[in-house]
């Protein structure tokens, strides 16, 4: 897609102005907008608002939904064009992590770099890769004392959060949590870590805590992560690789 191939809604309005023998000044008065704003709409620099779309319907007898859709599609094409320009650079940032996500069936395996970048953003629930830092700041986590893959860590956290949304637990009970501390510590002594994992999950559920075990991402080097998903819904994620030391 080339930038010049993206036609702004203003071009349609310009054609109608010629048909109706209206000047931009005439249109500005009918729309009750200043001439500068009208000029910006005609050149795609200012959007057609819902109110303006309704007024255009009155003036040209073309349904407001037409103008709304025209504007929406134009802005979408502009956004895709800008993302396409940066697709190569952005994919290089996420490339190795994305390949691992494909292996785990978290995202689709596409040959198109832009599609991969968009899939990654949707999975992480972000609009720009710069927002990844904001995700990290929302969580408290404990990681191994070693070099780690920053993106893999964030993806690992996101996997757990997505699963946690589907889990229903009892109302959080702080006093019950405190009374279970010794019992939880004792689980680290069990040789059967699978059994320890299941018992810990049950204890947490009884206390109103969502506990999720997740296979670690390569070089994520994380022990666990914690966050209040809501003021009354705590979430704890544990890496299977470091589960024993985490308990």
């Amino acid at each position: 897609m080339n930038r010049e191939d993206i036609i702004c809604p203003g071009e349609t309005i310009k054609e109608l102005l010629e048909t109706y023998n209206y000047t931009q000044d005439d249109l500005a008065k009918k729309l009750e907008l200043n001439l500068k704003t009208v000029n910006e709409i005609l050149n795609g620099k200012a959007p057609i608002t819902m109110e303006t779309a309704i007024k255009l319907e009155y003036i040209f007898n073309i349904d407001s939904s037409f103008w709304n859709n025209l504007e929406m599609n134009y802005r979408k094409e502009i956004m895709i064009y800008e993302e396409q320009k940066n697709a190569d650079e952005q994919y290089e940032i996420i490339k190795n992590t994305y390949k691992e996500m494909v292996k785990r069936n978290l995202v689709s395996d596409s040959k198109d770099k832009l599609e991969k970048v968009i899939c990654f953003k949707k999975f992480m629930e972000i609009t720009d890769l710069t927002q990844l830092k904001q995700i990290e700041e929302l969580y408290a986590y404990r990681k191994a004392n070693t070099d780690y893959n920053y993106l893999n860590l964030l993806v690992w956290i996101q996997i757990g959060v997505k699963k946690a949304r589907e889990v229903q637990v009892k109302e959080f009970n702080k006093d019950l949590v405190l009374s279970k501390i010794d019992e939880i510590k004792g689980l680290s002594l069990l040789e059967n870590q699978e059994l320890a994992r299941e018992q810990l999950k049950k204890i947490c559920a009884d206390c109103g805590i969502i506990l999720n075990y997740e296979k670690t991402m390569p070089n994520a080097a994380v022990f666990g992560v914690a966050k209040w998903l809501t003021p009354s819904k705590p979430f704890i994620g544990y890496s299977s690789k470091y589960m024993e030391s985490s308990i």
Side-chain angles (χ1 to χ4, degrees):
M1 179 188 299
N2 296 318
R3 180 62 180 84
E4 54 269 21
D5 294 330
I6 304 175
I7 308 300
C8 77
E11 294 300 320
T12 302
I13 298 176
K14 288 178 183 178
E15 292 177 2
L16 288 170
L17 290 180
E18 290 187 14
T19 301
Y20 280 69
N21 294 315
Y22 288 157
T23 64
Q24 288 189 29
D25 189 55
D26 292 331
L27 183 60
K29 292 175 181 177
K30 291 176 180 293
L31 291 174
E32 299 178 299
L33 297 172
N34 61 57
L35 186 58
K36 179 183 178 182
T37 300
V38 168
N39 184 263
E40 289 176 343
I41 291 174
L42 295 181
N43 291 290
K45 295 179 180 179
I48 296 176
T49 64
M50 293 287 292
E51 181 181 353
T52 299
I54 292 173
K55 289 181 178 181
L56 286 172
E57 176 181 343
Y58 295 162
I59 296 168
F60 298 118
N61 197 27
I62 299 176
D63 197 273
S64 61
S65 62
F66 169 82
W67 300 109
N68 290 327
N69 289 331
L70 207 61
E71 178 65 30
M72 180 183 68
N73 291 333
Y74 172 67
R75 297 299 164 184
K76 182 178 180 179
E77 288 180 353
I78 288 293
M79 186 173 182
I80 291 174
Y81 169 76
E82 292 297 331
E83 289 193 327
Q84 185 68 64
K85 283 199 309 181
N86 301 319
D88 288 346
E89 179 182 348
Q90 292 197 335
Y91 180 65
E92 282 303 309
I93 295 174
I94 67 170
K95 179 171 64 177
N96 293 331
T97 297
Y98 195 89
K99 289 179 180 178
E100 181 64 25
M101 293 172 72
V102 170
K103 291 179 184 178
R104 300 190 182 204
N105 296 316
L106 299 173
V107 289
S108 62
D109 186 12
S110 171
K111 293 183 178 180
D112 184 74
K113 291 182 179 179
L114 176 58
E115 185 175 336
K116 290 178 180 179
V117 171
I118 292 175
C119 282
F120 181 82
K121 289 179 179 179
K122 287 182 178 180
F123 182 84
M124 297 303 295
E125 299 166 12
I126 58 175
T127 58
D128 190 271
L129 295 186
T130 58
Q131 295 171 357
L132 290 170
K133 185 64 178 175
Q134 298 173 15
I135 296 178
E136 184 183 26
E137 293 171 349
L138 291 174
Y139 295 87
Y141 60 86
R142 181 186 175 198
K143 63 184 182 65
N145 187 22
T146 183
D147 291 336
Y148 71 103
N149 185 305
Y150 169 73
L151 283 182
N152 284 3
L153 170 60
L154 295 184
V155 169
W156 178 84
I157 292 174
Q158 184 72 351
I159 294 171
V161 171
K162 284 178 175 289
K163 289 184 177 180
R165 291 175 181 153
E166 302 173 0
V167 177
Q168 296 296 323
V169 293
K170 297 179 180 179
E171 185 177 352
F172 177 67
N173 188 325
K174 181 179 178 180
D175 292 334
L176 185 57
V177 173
L178 294 175
S179 71
K180 295 288 186 178
I181 295 298
D182 289 339
E183 184 178 350
I184 292 172
K185 289 181 178 179
L187 295 178
S188 63
L189 302 176
L190 292 180
E191 292 184 7
N192 188 335
Q193 287 299 296
E194 183 67 29
L195 177 61
R197 188 161 50 234
E198 290 305 314
Q199 290 186 7
L200 180 59
K201 189 172 184 178
K202 183 180 183 306
I203 292 172
C204 286
D206 290 340
C207 295
I209 300 172
I210 299 173
L211 182 68
N212 181 69
Y213 290 98
E214 193 64 44
K215 179 182 177 182
T216 186
M217 294 280 286
N219 299 320
V222 65
F223 288 97
V225 62
K227 183 181 189 297
W228 288 89
L229 298 181
T230 71
S232 59
K233 193 174 183 180
F235 160 71
I236 298 176
Y238 277 72
S239 164
S240 55
K241 183 174 181 180
Y242 298 102
M243 195 273 292
E244 183 175 352
S245 59
S246 297
I247 292 177

